[in-house]
Structure formats: structure tokens, C-alpha cells
Amino acid sequence: MHIPDGLISPQTYLPALALAAPLWVVAARRLRARMGDELLPRLAVFTALAFLLSTLMLPLPGGTSGHLLGVSLLALVFGPWVAFLCYTLVLVLQAVVVGAGGITALPVNALTLGLVAAWVTWGGYRLLRGLGETLAVAAATWLGIMSAALVLALVLGLQPVIAQAADGTPLFFPFGVAVTLPALLVPHALIAAGEAALTVLVFRHARKRRWLEAMP
Amino acid sequence: MSESLYSLEQVTVRYPDGRTALDGVDLDIAAGERVVLLGANGCGKSTLLKLLDGLVLPTAGRLRFAGREVDAAALKARDFAAAFRRRVALMFQHPEAMLFNPTVAEEIGFGLRHLPAAEAQERVRHWAGFMRLDRHLEEHPSQLSGGEKQRLCLACLLAVEPEVLLLDEPTANLDPRTVGWLIDWLGERDITTVVATHHMALAPELGQRAVILSEEHRVAFDGPVGDALGDLPLLLANNLAHQHRHRHGEEEHVHVHGHPVWGAARD
Amino acid sequence: MKHRLALYAWLAAVVATTLVHQPAVLAAGLAAVVLASGAGRGRLLGRALRAVAPVLLLLSTGYLLLGWWTGELAWRFLLLLNLRVTLLALLTAWAVRDIDFDRALARWPAARRWLAIVRSQVTVFRRLATEYRAAVQSRSTLPPTLRQRYRAGAALGLAALDKAMYNSEALTQGMRSRGALDE
């Protein structure tokens, strides 16, 4: 669901970059403290993994399908900082190697799909764990994806207000929140449910592998 | 024989999940020795090679290399670590594990950064030619075929001119021509080699001394290759040969497979 | 050097495109890029258009409908939006085609190495995914149900996680063995 270039105004993406950059540094520092000189190879492999996960199709009822984000799964298995950093790197890769997605939109995409989705999933899981694992994973993943969609809808929906010409016409994304909220949240309620189902199925086995504990 | 290059005293390796990979292994390897490491899948061959390469450390017991104890502290010491990495080379089972540079030329040149640029370049060219990779020097290693990747790994390791070469199942991943070449090449040099394999037919070509690891992760045999290969009960006990029933018309035979002396079919 | 400058130029051009709000200037920019991108420009333009056409179609149609409904329609905006998004996509398609990112990153060895590893690992994961999908196809005597498709997806996801753990450990050891981590 990431935003392509040309829909987000500089008034939005520059502050987003100013917010995201220090968070990338924090994430990298924290992981470096945990993994030391092994950070580079591990991060590179996990980026490739995140890249693969983001190409998995989510079959949806009615013959349609969506793409898995995979960021919730990464957050649950490796923690939110790894998920945030890997997802950012996937976006970089998609922008400069594949040519999909956007480079100016990158900070916004990274903050919503990377940071918000990862932390909400991770935090949601910790909060809801008492309800049983399947429910906690499913609800946390669904909430993580929906929060990302919500922030994305708000960022897009505020564009006509943030960036408009002297005559009041929009300069970038044209629709307000009244349009973006239903347009993004309604279909994503279904996509997020698909993502939640797949995450539950994978995480059930992944947790038993005790990867997090085994990781340096 | 002079002082041992490697000396292992009662080395045990246990992984964090509780699995034991090596259990009380005693082993001395002299400089220039050629050791064939035999054992069934999962007996600890790869772990032993990684131990000899300083990638895995003993949970109990001692590991010495050239008289110096190899432990976490020694490998943290920059001078020892750098020298150790240059003297000992390990060929991994999967080539992807060893390739991390953007071009084939840089990949081979990676271990040569201590040399003057011209000399390093010359060696890169030499080894690329030797391994039939000269047409691919500017390509990304991931673009090579499986066989080319393995030859690239070999070029990377041999270009550094290591004193010790550890090979993990080379016959499983190298093409037969390269295996043949490697055996000849090693035969002309006095590099210390430890080769892990379960390809019994090649064992006599790969070394004079055989070390068999049992499925209990201990040393089950240490001696001349010929003696090991002649001892069918030993091979059967360590899951290195198998026998199965076989019908020819009305008659039933027992076949033994998995090694050159017995494998020819002993009915 | 050349590739690094091209990288900077691309980033500057992309930012500039989001700062300009005159359709005429953007149209001129689009024409300039089409001219400057040399042989194969048709394919390049096609690629850029294919990438953004769905989004542009959706947004333009939506905007037209909404404008028709409310009676406020700015053709100028419609032109601006389409030109800007197309120009940005074309700039990026051009960069992807002509900039060798490996050379552009020559000054940042860690980034180069990261990119090199990611590239080979992506190949490894792609192969895994192809194999899993082929296996599902080969074993399916009937079209798979939704539940089975989820199970197959989960099996691939889990295999990918397993492989990632294994590969990251193997690669770390491989790099350590070759002295790449003691620098």
C-alpha cells in the first residue's frame, strides 16, 4: 500500500525525513549494540527476507488478492527495531533497484509501514498476550496494519490542506480525509485480516524456534 | 614429526539449544598432514571444521593452534585473529555463505588487501584464469552458476595461500573436473588439509590419515585411511556403509555399498 | 565518480520536481528527460507509465467524478498531477536503468557490501519461493482452496524465516572465516 512519488508535498516529506533519520540511527545503534560486527551480514539477509515476504500474495475471498507486508511478522520474530530498519531498506531497494515506490515518499512510507506497523504489532502482542497467543498475534497484526493505513490515510488526506495553490486548488494528493479514510481503511480491514491469518500460521511455528533468544 | 599444528584436548562443543556436536574429542594434526574426516550426517564433521577455523569454540576442553590457545580472547586480539584468518581457510558447504563482495574480481582480491595493489591484481588475474572465471571478473557473484560460484570460493581461498585448508564436503558441491584438479593440486603441495566427506571412494585420494566421527560425536577411529576402509564392521557401525538385500531371480544376495573395497558388491 | 554524480543529480531532480507547480515547466522537464535519456527512451517511458498508470487513472477518474459532483473542477490540477507523477516515475526509471548503484556507492564500502549481499540473498530467496510454488502446483490435483493457499503461503513464509536464520549465521561465519569482520 505504499505511496508513490508525486503525491506527497515537500512540506510533508521533509519533516518526515527529519523525524525518520534519527530513528534510523537509533535503530542501527541499538542493533549494533546487540549484534556487533555481525550487524551487516544479518541485516542484509533479513532485508532479503523482508523483500521476499513483501512479494507474497495474500489470497482474499472473492478472487482478489493483496500483498503481504510482512512487517508484523518481522516485528514479532525479531523485534520492532529490526522490522523498522529492514522494512526501510526494502523500500530503498524497491525505489532504487526495482524502480517501484518512491524516493521522496520513502520517509513517510518507512514511518507508517515500518515504524507504526511494527511497533503497534509488537506492543499489541505484549498487551494482548493474556488472551491466548493466536488471538494476540491476529489482533496485534490486524491493529498494526490498520494503524499504518490510518496514518497513511491521514497524511494523504491532509495534503490538500497542507499544499494548495493560491486559488485553493490542491498541488499534490487531491482528496481530503473524508475520502482517504474510507478508501484506505475499508479495503485494508480485509487485507489486514489476511495478513493476520498468515502471520498467525507462520508465527505459531516460528516462536518454537527460539530465534530471538538464540540471536546474539 | 615436529610439534602439532592443531591440538585438541577433550574438546566438547554444545550448542545453545543443548545439542552436543562434539563430545570429548582428542586430536593432534601436524603441519603438512592430510586428514580425511569421515562420518555420517550430523555426526559433527562441519562443527569440527568450524572449530579448526575458530568459528566455533570449545564448550569444554582446549583447542591449540601452533602452540597458542584459541579462545574468545585470542580471537579478539587483532594480530592473532588477522594472522589466524590468513593462515587457515575454510571452504563452506554452501558458496553463498562466503561471497559478499560486489564483483568477482573484488571477491578474489578481498583476502589480498595486505599486498601491494599490482601484486594483488596479478594474483586475482592468475586465480580467475585458473578457475576459468576470467570472463566474469566484473560480474556480481550471484550471477554465476552453482559450479562457478564454488570455483570462485576456491579461488578466493587459494589466492590467500593459506597454510591450512579445511574443506567441507567438497565433492558434494564441486563438479568432478574441479575435484580432480583439486586433488592433484593439493598433492603437489604440503598444505595441511582436513577434508570432511562421506564420499568414501575418494577418501584414499584426499589423505593418508582418516578420522571417523561416530554418531555419538566422538572419535571412533584415527589411523591410516587404508585400515579404516578395510574394516567393514567399523564402517557399518558408524553408518558409513550400508548393506541391503537384493534379488536376482530366485536368489537373494546381500550388497554392501558406500565404499571402494566393499562397494563392488559382495554377494 | 560518474555514477555518484548521477545519483546526486537524480535525487536533486526528484526533489526539484516536487517543488515546481507550473504544468508548463513540468511538461518541458518531461520532454527534456525523454530527449536526454537516449536510445531506448520509448521503452523507458512505457515502463514509467506502466508503473504509475493505475494510480493516475484512479486518482484522475476520482477527481473528475468528484469535480463533476461538486462543480469545482481544476483542469490545471489534473494536468499538474499527471505530469508530475509521470515525470518522477520517468526520472526513477532512468536512474534504475543507467545508474550503477554499486559504483555510485564506491565511497561507502559498508553500503556496497550490504547491497552485494542483499542481491545474492534475494536470488536465494527467489529460488526458494519458486520451488515452493512449483511444489504446490505439482501436488495440486484440484484447485487449492483458500485455506490451502494460506497454508502454502505460511509454509513458504516459515521456510523463508528458517533459511534467513540459517543463511545469516552461515554468512556471518563465512565472513568471519575470511577475516571480513575483524576489520
Side-chain angles (χ1 to χ4, degrees), chain A residues 6 10 13 37-38 40 42 45 48-49 52 56 59 93 96-97 104 169-172 174-175 194 198 201 209 211, chain C residues 14 18 59 63 74 77 84 88 96 101 110 114 117-118 121 125 150 154 156 158 160 162 164-165 168-169 172 176 181:
Chain A
Y13 72 70
D37 55 1
E38 299 182 355
L40 183 96
R42 288 189 192 275
V45 176
L49 169 73
L52 174 89
L56 286 187
L93 218 58
V96 302
V97 179
T104 60
T169 54
L171 290 173
F172 289 86
F175 307 118
L198 201 63
L201 288 175
R209 307 278 213 274
W211 284 320
Chain C
V14 164
T18 64
L59 291 179
Y63 185 72
F77 164 72
R84 191 193 323 263
L88 284 165
V96 167
F101 283 93
W114 169 80
I117 299 172
V118 170
Q121 290 294 323
F125 282 115
Y150 268 91
L156 173 56
L158 189 66
D162 266 331
M165 289 315 289
S168 71
E169 184 64 29
T172 303
R176 196 177 290 295
L181 296 185

Side-chain angles (χ1 to χ4, degrees), chain A residues 211, chain B residues 50 93-94, chain C residues 161-171:
Chain A
W211 284 320
Chain B
K50 284 179 180 163
Q93 264 190 57
H94 301 289
Chain C
L161 273 169
D162 266 331
K163 192 149 198 108
M165 289 315 289
Y166 177 84
N167 285 7
S168 71
E169 184 64 29
L171 186 75

Side-chain angles (χ1 to χ4, degrees), chain C residues 47-59:
Chain C
R47 210 174 148 175
L49 284 175
R50 258 199 309 283
V52 292
V55 176
L56 284 178
L57 212 63
L58 186 74
L59 291 179

